Amino acid sequence: MEQQAILILEQYEQLKVISDPMRTKMLMHLIEQPHTGQQLARKLDVSRAKILYHLRELEKYQLIQLVEEKVRGGNVLKFYQAVARGFIPADHLLNLVETKQATRQSYLEVLDRAKTRVLTAPDRSFAPRSSDVEDWESLSFQQELRLSPQQFLTFTKRYRELLQDIEQDPSYEADKKLYYVMATAFEIDAPLVQADEEGGHAGD
């Protein structure tokens, strides 16, 4: 099965299905590769019966599909995969509570998957090459910025374009390795470190 890049969710029922945290976790795994119910049950530490219930709901609303069946030891193993690598609500669903819940949950799952990638990466990924961080083949960075909405949209567009450009750059074909890149960005109500009235910072 060839996954779509993005599936636009047109039905409220589809949105409601993926706003469930457990189903979001399952979709994250099923986006990456096909799994059986038993494999998901082990990874998520949930009973197989509960996983099969959620699989049926996801399949019912065309969010996943059966991609392979294998007979092993008299049992039929059914492998499911997400039909797309991303799911976005249609315009008429954008203002619903479920949309906000599903989007927030998907961000949490991305962060959780990033933690897993850190824990399973080889030791060499975190071995500093020099005292100059610009020489390191790793990056851990966070920053809070004051931007206009248009500046923020310009930034996200340039970020996506940069990733696409460097991945398609043919000048380094002979020296490519696999790197994990993750980013999240969103509006917040207050800075992490509060400045006091004299211009200092809380706790100084």
PDB file of all heavy atoms in Angstrom, residues 26 30 33-42 48 51-52 55-56 59 64-72 74-82:
ATOM      1  N   MET A  26      -1.606   4.794  18.631  1.00  0.00           N
ATOM      2  CA  MET A  26      -1.608   3.696  17.671  1.00  0.00           C
ATOM      3  C   MET A  26      -1.333   4.208  16.266  1.00  0.00           C
ATOM      4  O   MET A  26      -0.540   3.615  15.519  1.00  0.00           O
ATOM      5  CB  MET A  26      -2.954   2.974  17.722  1.00  0.00           C
ATOM      6  CG  MET A  26      -3.184   2.208  19.024  1.00  0.00           C
ATOM      7  SD  MET A  26      -4.886   1.611  19.220  1.00  0.00           S
ATOM      8  CE  MET A  26      -5.024   0.525  17.790  1.00  0.00           C
ATOM      9  N   LEU A  30       1.388   3.207  13.395  1.00  0.00           N
ATOM     10  CA  LEU A  30       0.904   2.687  12.120  1.00  0.00           C
ATOM     11  C   LEU A  30       1.267   3.589  10.949  1.00  0.00           C
ATOM     12  O   LEU A  30       1.251   3.157   9.793  1.00  0.00           O
ATOM     13  CB  LEU A  30      -0.611   2.492  12.183  1.00  0.00           C
ATOM     14  CG  LEU A  30      -1.079   1.430  13.181  1.00  0.00           C
ATOM     15  CD1 LEU A  30      -2.596   1.417  13.295  1.00  0.00           C
ATOM     16  CD2 LEU A  30      -0.559   0.053  12.795  1.00  0.00           C
ATOM     17  N   GLN A  33       5.035   2.160  10.201  1.00  0.00           N
ATOM     18  CA  GLN A  33       5.123   0.860   9.539  1.00  0.00           C
ATOM     19  C   GLN A  33       3.922   0.005   9.942  1.00  0.00           C
ATOM     20  O   GLN A  33       3.259   0.287  10.940  1.00  0.00           O
ATOM     21  CB  GLN A  33       6.408   0.135   9.919  1.00  0.00           C
ATOM     22  CG  GLN A  33       6.527  -0.205  11.391  1.00  0.00           C
ATOM     23  CD  GLN A  33       7.880  -0.784  11.747  1.00  0.00           C
ATOM     24  OE1 GLN A  33       8.905  -0.314  11.289  1.00  0.00           O
ATOM     25  NE2 GLN A  33       7.873  -1.825  12.551  1.00  0.00           N
ATOM     26  N   PRO A  34       3.625  -1.053   9.179  1.00  0.00           N
ATOM     27  CA  PRO A  34       2.497  -1.929   9.525  1.00  0.00           C
ATOM     28  C   PRO A  34       2.740  -2.669  10.839  1.00  0.00           C
ATOM     29  O   PRO A  34       3.871  -3.029  11.167  1.00  0.00           O
ATOM     30  CB  PRO A  34       2.437  -2.907   8.346  1.00  0.00           C
ATOM     31  CG  PRO A  34       3.133  -2.216   7.224  1.00  0.00           C
ATOM     32  CD  PRO A  34       4.218  -1.405   7.871  1.00  0.00           C
ATOM     33  N   HIS A  35       1.669  -2.885  11.591  1.00  0.00           N
ATOM     34  CA  HIS A  35       1.720  -3.623  12.852  1.00  0.00           C
ATOM     35  C   HIS A  35       0.504  -4.540  12.955  1.00  0.00           C
ATOM     36  O   HIS A  35      -0.559  -4.251  12.398  1.00  0.00           O
ATOM     37  CB  HIS A  35       1.664  -2.672  14.056  1.00  0.00           C
ATOM     38  CG  HIS A  35       2.921  -1.913  14.306  1.00  0.00           C
ATOM     39  ND1 HIS A  35       3.299  -0.832  13.540  1.00  0.00           N
ATOM     40  CD2 HIS A  35       3.878  -2.063  15.263  1.00  0.00           C
ATOM     41  CE1 HIS A  35       4.442  -0.344  14.020  1.00  0.00           C
ATOM     42  NE2 HIS A  35       4.810  -1.073  15.056  1.00  0.00           N
ATOM     43  N   THR A  36       0.681  -5.603  13.711  1.00  0.00           N
ATOM     44  CA  THR A  36      -0.466  -6.423  14.108  1.00  0.00           C
ATOM     45  C   THR A  36      -1.012  -5.876  15.423  1.00  0.00           C
ATOM     46  O   THR A  36      -0.356  -5.082  16.115  1.00  0.00           O
ATOM     47  CB  THR A  36      -0.059  -7.889  14.311  1.00  0.00           C
ATOM     48  OG1 THR A  36       0.838  -7.967  15.439  1.00  0.00           O
ATOM     49  CG2 THR A  36       0.623  -8.460  13.075  1.00  0.00           C
ATOM     50  N   GLY A  37      -2.194  -6.349  15.784  1.00  0.00           N
ATOM     51  CA  GLY A  37      -2.758  -5.957  17.070  1.00  0.00           C
ATOM     52  C   GLY A  37      -1.874  -6.387  18.223  1.00  0.00           C
ATOM     53  O   GLY A  37      -1.700  -5.656  19.201  1.00  0.00           O
ATOM     54  N   GLN A  38      -1.290  -7.581  18.110  1.00  0.00           N
ATOM     55  CA  GLN A  38      -0.428  -8.091  19.178  1.00  0.00           C
ATOM     56  C   GLN A  38       0.826  -7.229  19.330  1.00  0.00           C
ATOM     57  O   GLN A  38       1.270  -6.947  20.451  1.00  0.00           O
ATOM     58  CB  GLN A  38      -0.029  -9.542  18.884  1.00  0.00           C
ATOM     59  CG  GLN A  38       0.743 -10.219  20.005  1.00  0.00           C
ATOM     60  CD  GLN A  38      -0.061 -10.315  21.290  1.00  0.00           C
ATOM     61  OE1 GLN A  38      -1.251 -10.634  21.260  1.00  0.00           O
ATOM     62  NE2 GLN A  38       0.558 -10.041  22.419  1.00  0.00           N
ATOM     63  N   GLN A  39       1.405  -6.800  18.216  1.00  0.00           N
ATOM     64  CA  GLN A  39       2.592  -5.944  18.278  1.00  0.00           C
ATOM     65  C   GLN A  39       2.272  -4.611  18.952  1.00  0.00           C
ATOM     66  O   GLN A  39       3.048  -4.119  19.782  1.00  0.00           O
ATOM     67  CB  GLN A  39       3.132  -5.713  16.865  1.00  0.00           C
ATOM     68  CG  GLN A  39       3.794  -6.930  16.249  1.00  0.00           C
ATOM     69  CD  GLN A  39       4.150  -6.722  14.793  1.00  0.00           C
ATOM     70  OE1 GLN A  39       3.494  -5.958  14.067  1.00  0.00           O
ATOM     71  NE2 GLN A  39       5.198  -7.404  14.340  1.00  0.00           N
ATOM     72  N   LEU A  40       1.139  -4.034  18.608  1.00  0.00           N
ATOM     73  CA  LEU A  40       0.741  -2.772  19.236  1.00  0.00           C
ATOM     74  C   LEU A  40       0.454  -2.953  20.716  1.00  0.00           C
ATOM     75  O   LEU A  40       0.800  -2.097  21.531  1.00  0.00           O
ATOM     76  CB  LEU A  40      -0.495  -2.210  18.534  1.00  0.00           C
ATOM     77  CG  LEU A  40      -0.287  -1.652  17.132  1.00  0.00           C
ATOM     78  CD1 LEU A  40      -1.624  -1.334  16.480  1.00  0.00           C
ATOM     79  CD2 LEU A  40       0.601  -0.419  17.157  1.00  0.00           C
ATOM     80  N   ALA A  41      -0.161  -4.081  21.065  1.00  0.00           N
ATOM     81  CA  ALA A  41      -0.466  -4.351  22.475  1.00  0.00           C
ATOM     82  C   ALA A  41       0.817  -4.404  23.299  1.00  0.00           C
ATOM     83  O   ALA A  41       0.876  -3.874  24.412  1.00  0.00           O
ATOM     84  CB  ALA A  41      -1.248  -5.657  22.597  1.00  0.00           C
ATOM     85  N   ARG A  42       1.862  -5.031  22.743  1.00  0.00           N
ATOM     86  CA  ARG A  42       3.144  -5.116  23.461  1.00  0.00           C
ATOM     87  C   ARG A  42       3.801  -3.741  23.576  1.00  0.00           C
ATOM     88  O   ARG A  42       4.293  -3.370  24.639  1.00  0.00           O
ATOM     89  CB  ARG A  42       4.083  -6.090  22.749  1.00  0.00           C
ATOM     90  CG  ARG A  42       3.755  -7.556  22.981  1.00  0.00           C
ATOM     91  CD  ARG A  42       4.945  -8.440  22.645  1.00  0.00           C
ATOM     92  NE  ARG A  42       5.389  -8.248  21.272  1.00  0.00           N
ATOM     93  CZ  ARG A  42       4.982  -8.981  20.239  1.00  0.00           C
ATOM     94  NH1 ARG A  42       4.103  -9.946  20.410  1.00  0.00           N
ATOM     95  NH2 ARG A  42       5.444  -8.745  19.023  1.00  0.00           N
ATOM     96  N   ARG A  48      -4.644  -6.918  24.281  1.00  0.00           N
ATOM     97  CA  ARG A  48      -4.888  -7.122  22.851  1.00  0.00           C
ATOM     98  C   ARG A  48      -6.350  -6.849  22.509  1.00  0.00           C
ATOM     99  O   ARG A  48      -6.655  -6.300  21.441  1.00  0.00           O
ATOM    100  CB  ARG A  48      -4.502  -8.549  22.455  1.00  0.00           C
ATOM    101  CG  ARG A  48      -4.622  -8.839  20.970  1.00  0.00           C
ATOM    102  CD  ARG A  48      -3.984 -10.185  20.646  1.00  0.00           C
ATOM    103  NE  ARG A  48      -4.166 -10.531  19.246  1.00  0.00           N
ATOM    104  CZ  ARG A  48      -5.199 -11.219  18.763  1.00  0.00           C
ATOM    105  NH1 ARG A  48      -6.144 -11.639  19.594  1.00  0.00           N
ATOM    106  NH2 ARG A  48      -5.294 -11.493  17.472  1.00  0.00           N
ATOM    107  N   ILE A  51      -6.798  -3.158  22.061  1.00  0.00           N
ATOM    108  CA  ILE A  51      -6.169  -2.721  20.816  1.00  0.00           C
ATOM    109  C   ILE A  51      -7.043  -3.095  19.623  1.00  0.00           C
ATOM    110  O   ILE A  51      -7.246  -2.295  18.695  1.00  0.00           O
ATOM    111  CB  ILE A  51      -4.767  -3.338  20.667  1.00  0.00           C
ATOM    112  CG1 ILE A  51      -3.794  -2.721  21.682  1.00  0.00           C
ATOM    113  CG2 ILE A  51      -4.237  -3.158  19.243  1.00  0.00           C
ATOM    114  CD1 ILE A  51      -3.485  -1.257  21.460  1.00  0.00           C
ATOM    115  N   LEU A  52      -7.571  -4.312  19.603  1.00  0.00           N
ATOM    116  CA  LEU A  52      -8.403  -4.761  18.484  1.00  0.00           C
ATOM    117  C   LEU A  52      -9.667  -3.908  18.359  1.00  0.00           C
ATOM    118  O   LEU A  52     -10.117  -3.615  17.243  1.00  0.00           O
ATOM    119  CB  LEU A  52      -8.767  -6.235  18.656  1.00  0.00           C
ATOM    120  CG  LEU A  52      -7.602  -7.223  18.509  1.00  0.00           C
ATOM    121  CD1 LEU A  52      -8.084  -8.652  18.747  1.00  0.00           C
ATOM    122  CD2 LEU A  52      -6.955  -7.100  17.132  1.00  0.00           C
ATOM    123  N   LEU A  55      -8.523  -0.728  16.735  1.00  0.00           N
ATOM    124  CA  LEU A  55      -8.207  -0.987  15.326  1.00  0.00           C
ATOM    125  C   LEU A  55      -9.482  -1.034  14.485  1.00  0.00           C
ATOM    126  O   LEU A  55      -9.519  -0.491  13.369  1.00  0.00           O
ATOM    127  CB  LEU A  55      -7.437  -2.301  15.181  1.00  0.00           C
ATOM    128  CG  LEU A  55      -5.958  -2.294  15.576  1.00  0.00           C
ATOM    129  CD1 LEU A  55      -5.388  -3.705  15.519  1.00  0.00           C
ATOM    130  CD2 LEU A  55      -5.157  -1.358  14.674  1.00  0.00           C
ATOM    131  N   ARG A  56     -10.506  -1.661  15.013  1.00  0.00           N
ATOM    132  CA  ARG A  56     -11.772  -1.732  14.281  1.00  0.00           C
ATOM    133  C   ARG A  56     -12.357  -0.335  14.061  1.00  0.00           C
ATOM    134  O   ARG A  56     -12.901  -0.037  12.995  1.00  0.00           O
ATOM    135  CB  ARG A  56     -12.777  -2.616  15.031  1.00  0.00           C
ATOM    136  CG  ARG A  56     -12.486  -4.107  14.897  1.00  0.00           C
ATOM    137  CD  ARG A  56     -13.672  -4.954  15.358  1.00  0.00           C
ATOM    138  NE  ARG A  56     -13.911  -4.827  16.793  1.00  0.00           N
ATOM    139  CZ  ARG A  56     -13.372  -5.606  17.717  1.00  0.00           C
ATOM    140  NH1 ARG A  56     -12.537  -6.579  17.367  1.00  0.00           N
ATOM    141  NH2 ARG A  56     -13.653  -5.437  18.997  1.00  0.00           N
ATOM    142  N   GLU A  59     -10.267   1.457  11.414  1.00  0.00           N
ATOM    143  CA  GLU A  59     -10.529   0.895  10.087  1.00  0.00           C
ATOM    144  C   GLU A  59     -11.915   1.283   9.600  1.00  0.00           C
ATOM    145  O   GLU A  59     -12.117   1.560   8.406  1.00  0.00           O
ATOM    146  CB  GLU A  59     -10.379  -0.622  10.132  1.00  0.00           C
ATOM    147  CG  GLU A  59     -10.503  -1.283   8.763  1.00  0.00           C
ATOM    148  CD  GLU A  59     -10.329  -2.783   8.816  1.00  0.00           C
ATOM    149  OE1 GLU A  59     -10.619  -3.387   9.879  1.00  0.00           O
ATOM    150  OE2 GLU A  59      -9.921  -3.371   7.806  1.00  0.00           O
ATOM    151  N   ILE A  64      -7.069   3.614   8.772  1.00  0.00           N
ATOM    152  CA  ILE A  64      -6.070   2.559   8.586  1.00  0.00           C
ATOM    153  C   ILE A  64      -6.671   1.510   7.669  1.00  0.00           C
ATOM    154  O   ILE A  64      -7.883   1.501   7.428  1.00  0.00           O
ATOM    155  CB  ILE A  64      -5.652   1.904   9.916  1.00  0.00           C
ATOM    156  CG1 ILE A  64      -6.845   1.138  10.537  1.00  0.00           C
ATOM    157  CG2 ILE A  64      -5.095   2.932  10.893  1.00  0.00           C
ATOM    158  CD1 ILE A  64      -6.480   0.288  11.740  1.00  0.00           C
ATOM    159  N   GLN A  65      -5.835   0.624   7.159  1.00  0.00           N
ATOM    160  CA  GLN A  65      -6.357  -0.489   6.383  1.00  0.00           C
ATOM    161  C   GLN A  65      -5.471  -1.713   6.534  1.00  0.00           C
ATOM    162  O   GLN A  65      -4.282  -1.605   6.888  1.00  0.00           O
ATOM    163  CB  GLN A  65      -6.515  -0.125   4.912  1.00  0.00           C
ATOM    164  CG  GLN A  65      -5.235   0.120   4.152  1.00  0.00           C
ATOM    165  CD  GLN A  65      -5.518   0.540   2.713  1.00  0.00           C
ATOM    166  OE1 GLN A  65      -6.321   1.437   2.445  1.00  0.00           O
ATOM    167  NE2 GLN A  65      -4.851  -0.114   1.774  1.00  0.00           N
ATOM    168  N   LEU A  66      -6.076  -2.857   6.288  1.00  0.00           N
ATOM    169  CA  LEU A  66      -5.350  -4.123   6.328  1.00  0.00           C
ATOM    170  C   LEU A  66      -4.441  -4.188   5.107  1.00  0.00           C
ATOM    171  O   LEU A  66      -4.899  -4.030   3.977  1.00  0.00           O
ATOM    172  CB  LEU A  66      -6.344  -5.283   6.319  1.00  0.00           C
ATOM    173  CG  LEU A  66      -5.772  -6.697   6.367  1.00  0.00           C
ATOM    174  CD1 LEU A  66      -5.082  -6.960   7.697  1.00  0.00           C
ATOM    175  CD2 LEU A  66      -6.887  -7.716   6.146  1.00  0.00           C
ATOM    176  N   VAL A  67      -3.138  -4.409   5.335  1.00  0.00           N
ATOM    177  CA  VAL A  67      -2.191  -4.411   4.217  1.00  0.00           C
ATOM    178  C   VAL A  67      -1.550  -5.772   3.974  1.00  0.00           C
ATOM    179  O   VAL A  67      -0.962  -6.008   2.918  1.00  0.00           O
ATOM    180  CB  VAL A  67      -1.082  -3.355   4.425  1.00  0.00           C
ATOM    181  CG1 VAL A  67      -1.667  -1.948   4.382  1.00  0.00           C
ATOM    182  CG2 VAL A  67      -0.326  -3.584   5.733  1.00  0.00           C
ATOM    183  N   GLU A  68      -1.656  -6.689   4.956  1.00  0.00           N
ATOM    184  CA  GLU A  68      -1.021  -8.000   4.781  1.00  0.00           C
ATOM    185  C   GLU A  68      -1.596  -8.995   5.785  1.00  0.00           C
ATOM    186  O   GLU A  68      -1.957  -8.622   6.905  1.00  0.00           O
ATOM    187  CB  GLU A  68       0.495  -7.880   4.997  1.00  0.00           C
ATOM    188  CG  GLU A  68       1.255  -9.146   4.681  1.00  0.00           C
ATOM    189  CD  GLU A  68       2.753  -8.998   4.877  1.00  0.00           C
ATOM    190  OE1 GLU A  68       3.193  -7.926   5.374  1.00  0.00           O
ATOM    191  OE2 GLU A  68       3.485  -9.942   4.542  1.00  0.00           O
ATOM    192  N   GLU A  69      -1.674 -10.229   5.366  1.00  0.00           N
ATOM    193  CA  GLU A  69      -2.057 -11.321   6.250  1.00  0.00           C
ATOM    194  C   GLU A  69      -1.028 -12.433   6.135  1.00  0.00           C
ATOM    195  O   GLU A  69      -0.614 -12.793   5.030  1.00  0.00           O
ATOM    196  CB  GLU A  69      -3.444 -11.871   5.897  1.00  0.00           C
ATOM    197  CG  GLU A  69      -4.583 -10.940   6.233  1.00  0.00           C
ATOM    198  CD  GLU A  69      -5.948 -11.572   5.980  1.00  0.00           C
ATOM    199  OE1 GLU A  69      -6.060 -12.408   5.054  1.00  0.00           O
ATOM    200  OE2 GLU A  69      -6.887 -11.234   6.711  1.00  0.00           O
ATOM    201  N   LYS A  70      -0.583 -12.951   7.279  1.00  0.00           N
ATOM    202  CA  LYS A  70       0.380 -14.046   7.305  1.00  0.00           C
ATOM    203  C   LYS A  70      -0.165 -15.162   8.190  1.00  0.00           C
ATOM    204  O   LYS A  70      -0.730 -14.893   9.252  1.00  0.00           O
ATOM    205  CB  LYS A  70       1.739 -13.585   7.861  1.00  0.00           C
ATOM    206  CG  LYS A  70       2.496 -12.614   6.986  1.00  0.00           C
ATOM    207  CD  LYS A  70       3.838 -12.265   7.633  1.00  0.00           C
ATOM    208  CE  LYS A  70       4.645 -11.296   6.773  1.00  0.00           C
ATOM    209  NZ  LYS A  70       5.939 -10.942   7.437  1.00  0.00           N
ATOM    210  N   VAL A  71       0.030 -16.400   7.742  1.00  0.00           N
ATOM    211  CA  VAL A  71      -0.356 -17.551   8.553  1.00  0.00           C
ATOM    212  C   VAL A  71       0.878 -18.042   9.285  1.00  0.00           C
ATOM    213  O   VAL A  71       1.896 -18.360   8.659  1.00  0.00           O
ATOM    214  CB  VAL A  71      -0.950 -18.674   7.688  1.00  0.00           C
ATOM    215  CG1 VAL A  71      -1.299 -19.880   8.563  1.00  0.00           C
ATOM    216  CG2 VAL A  71      -2.179 -18.175   6.941  1.00  0.00           C
ATOM    217  N   ARG A  72       0.791 -18.083  10.606  1.00  0.00           N
ATOM    218  CA  ARG A  72       1.934 -18.509  11.415  1.00  0.00           C
ATOM    219  C   ARG A  72       1.424 -19.371  12.574  1.00  0.00           C
ATOM    220  O   ARG A  72       0.653 -18.905  13.396  1.00  0.00           O
ATOM    221  CB  ARG A  72       2.709 -17.296  11.935  1.00  0.00           C
ATOM    222  CG  ARG A  72       3.992 -17.645  12.674  1.00  0.00           C
ATOM    223  CD  ARG A  72       4.753 -16.389  13.052  1.00  0.00           C
ATOM    224  NE  ARG A  72       5.101 -15.584  11.890  1.00  0.00           N
ATOM    225  CZ  ARG A  72       5.523 -14.324  11.952  1.00  0.00           C
ATOM    226  NH1 ARG A  72       5.606 -13.727  13.138  1.00  0.00           N
ATOM    227  NH2 ARG A  72       5.839 -13.654  10.860  1.00  0.00           N
ATOM    228  N   GLY A  74      -0.701 -21.729  12.641  1.00  0.00           N
ATOM    229  CA  GLY A  74      -2.147 -21.902  12.641  1.00  0.00           C
ATOM    230  C   GLY A  74      -2.932 -20.627  12.900  1.00  0.00           C
ATOM    231  O   GLY A  74      -4.161 -20.628  12.835  1.00  0.00           O
ATOM    232  N   ASN A  75      -2.221 -19.524  13.196  1.00  0.00           N
ATOM    233  CA  ASN A  75      -2.880 -18.235  13.431  1.00  0.00           C
ATOM    234  C   ASN A  75      -2.717 -17.323  12.220  1.00  0.00           C
ATOM    235  O   ASN A  75      -1.702 -17.371  11.523  1.00  0.00           O
ATOM    236  CB  ASN A  75      -2.281 -17.540  14.660  1.00  0.00           C
ATOM    237  CG  ASN A  75      -2.529 -18.322  15.933  1.00  0.00           C
ATOM    238  OD1 ASN A  75      -3.625 -18.838  16.141  1.00  0.00           O
ATOM    239  ND2 ASN A  75      -1.519 -18.418  16.784  1.00  0.00           N
ATOM    240  N   VAL A  76      -3.705 -16.497  11.985  1.00  0.00           N
ATOM    241  CA  VAL A  76      -3.634 -15.512  10.908  1.00  0.00           C
ATOM    242  C   VAL A  76      -3.237 -14.172  11.510  1.00  0.00           C
ATOM    243  O   VAL A  76      -3.950 -13.612  12.352  1.00  0.00           O
ATOM    244  CB  VAL A  76      -4.982 -15.386  10.171  1.00  0.00           C
ATOM    245  CG1 VAL A  76      -4.884 -14.318   9.079  1.00  0.00           C
ATOM    246  CG2 VAL A  76      -5.394 -16.716   9.571  1.00  0.00           C
ATOM    247  N   LEU A  77      -2.074 -13.676  11.101  1.00  0.00           N
ATOM    248  CA  LEU A  77      -1.588 -12.385  11.584  1.00  0.00           C
ATOM    249  C   LEU A  77      -2.018 -11.299  10.609  1.00  0.00           C
ATOM    250  O   LEU A  77      -1.698 -11.359   9.422  1.00  0.00           O
ATOM    251  CB  LEU A  77      -0.061 -12.405  11.714  1.00  0.00           C
ATOM    252  CG  LEU A  77       0.534 -13.505  12.596  1.00  0.00           C
ATOM    253  CD1 LEU A  77       2.047 -13.382  12.633  1.00  0.00           C
ATOM    254  CD2 LEU A  77      -0.045 -13.440  13.999  1.00  0.00           C
ATOM    255  N   LYS A  78      -2.742 -10.314  11.116  1.00  0.00           N
ATOM    256  CA  LYS A  78      -3.226  -9.225  10.273  1.00  0.00           C
ATOM    257  C   LYS A  78      -2.420  -7.958  10.547  1.00  0.00           C
ATOM    258  O   LYS A  78      -2.350  -7.496  11.686  1.00  0.00           O
ATOM    259  CB  LYS A  78      -4.715  -8.978  10.536  1.00  0.00           C
ATOM    260  CG  LYS A  78      -5.605 -10.148  10.148  1.00  0.00           C
ATOM    261  CD  LYS A  78      -7.082  -9.814  10.357  1.00  0.00           C
ATOM    262  CE  LYS A  78      -7.969 -10.950   9.897  1.00  0.00           C
ATOM    263  NZ  LYS A  78      -9.411 -10.629  10.028  1.00  0.00           N
ATOM    264  N   PHE A  79      -1.812  -7.419   9.499  1.00  0.00           N
ATOM    265  CA  PHE A  79      -0.989  -6.216   9.609  1.00  0.00           C
ATOM    266  C   PHE A  79      -1.778  -5.016   9.091  1.00  0.00           C
ATOM    267  O   PHE A  79      -2.294  -5.038   7.966  1.00  0.00           O
ATOM    268  CB  PHE A  79       0.305  -6.373   8.819  1.00  0.00           C
ATOM    269  CG  PHE A  79       1.272  -7.355   9.410  1.00  0.00           C
ATOM    270  CD1 PHE A  79       1.115  -8.717   9.184  1.00  0.00           C
ATOM    271  CD2 PHE A  79       2.325  -6.923  10.200  1.00  0.00           C
ATOM    272  CE1 PHE A  79       2.004  -9.633   9.731  1.00  0.00           C
ATOM    273  CE2 PHE A  79       3.221  -7.837  10.754  1.00  0.00           C
ATOM    274  CZ  PHE A  79       3.056  -9.189  10.512  1.00  0.00           C
ATOM    275  N   TYR A  80      -1.841  -3.984   9.910  1.00  0.00           N
ATOM    276  CA  TYR A  80      -2.553  -2.760   9.546  1.00  0.00           C
ATOM    277  C   TYR A  80      -1.561  -1.609   9.398  1.00  0.00           C
ATOM    278  O   TYR A  80      -0.516  -1.573  10.063  1.00  0.00           O
ATOM    279  CB  TYR A  80      -3.580  -2.402  10.619  1.00  0.00           C
ATOM    280  CG  TYR A  80      -4.711  -3.392  10.739  1.00  0.00           C
ATOM    281  CD1 TYR A  80      -4.606  -4.486  11.605  1.00  0.00           C
ATOM    282  CD2 TYR A  80      -5.872  -3.230  10.001  1.00  0.00           C
ATOM    283  CE1 TYR A  80      -5.646  -5.401  11.718  1.00  0.00           C
ATOM    284  CE2 TYR A  80      -6.922  -4.145  10.112  1.00  0.00           C
ATOM    285  CZ  TYR A  80      -6.803  -5.226  10.967  1.00  0.00           C
ATOM    286  OH  TYR A  80      -7.824  -6.136  11.075  1.00  0.00           O
ATOM    287  N   GLN A  81      -1.928  -0.654   8.537  1.00  0.00           N
ATOM    288  CA  GLN A  81      -1.096   0.530   8.361  1.00  0.00           C
ATOM    289  C   GLN A  81      -1.992   1.751   8.169  1.00  0.00           C
ATOM    290  O   GLN A  81      -3.103   1.643   7.630  1.00  0.00           O
ATOM    291  CB  GLN A  81      -0.169   0.383   7.151  1.00  0.00           C
ATOM    292  CG  GLN A  81       0.858   1.516   7.026  1.00  0.00           C
ATOM    293  CD  GLN A  81       1.917   1.208   5.982  1.00  0.00           C
ATOM    294  OE1 GLN A  81       1.686   0.426   5.061  1.00  0.00           O
ATOM    295  NE2 GLN A  81       3.091   1.808   6.122  1.00  0.00           N
ATOM    296  N   ALA A  82      -1.520   2.907   8.625  1.00  0.00           N
ATOM    297  CA  ALA A  82      -2.265   4.152   8.420  1.00  0.00           C
ATOM    298  C   ALA A  82      -2.320   4.471   6.933  1.00  0.00           C
ATOM    299  O   ALA A  82      -1.354   4.244   6.201  1.00  0.00           O
ATOM    300  CB  ALA A  82      -1.590   5.293   9.182  1.00  0.00           C
TER     301      ALA A  82
END
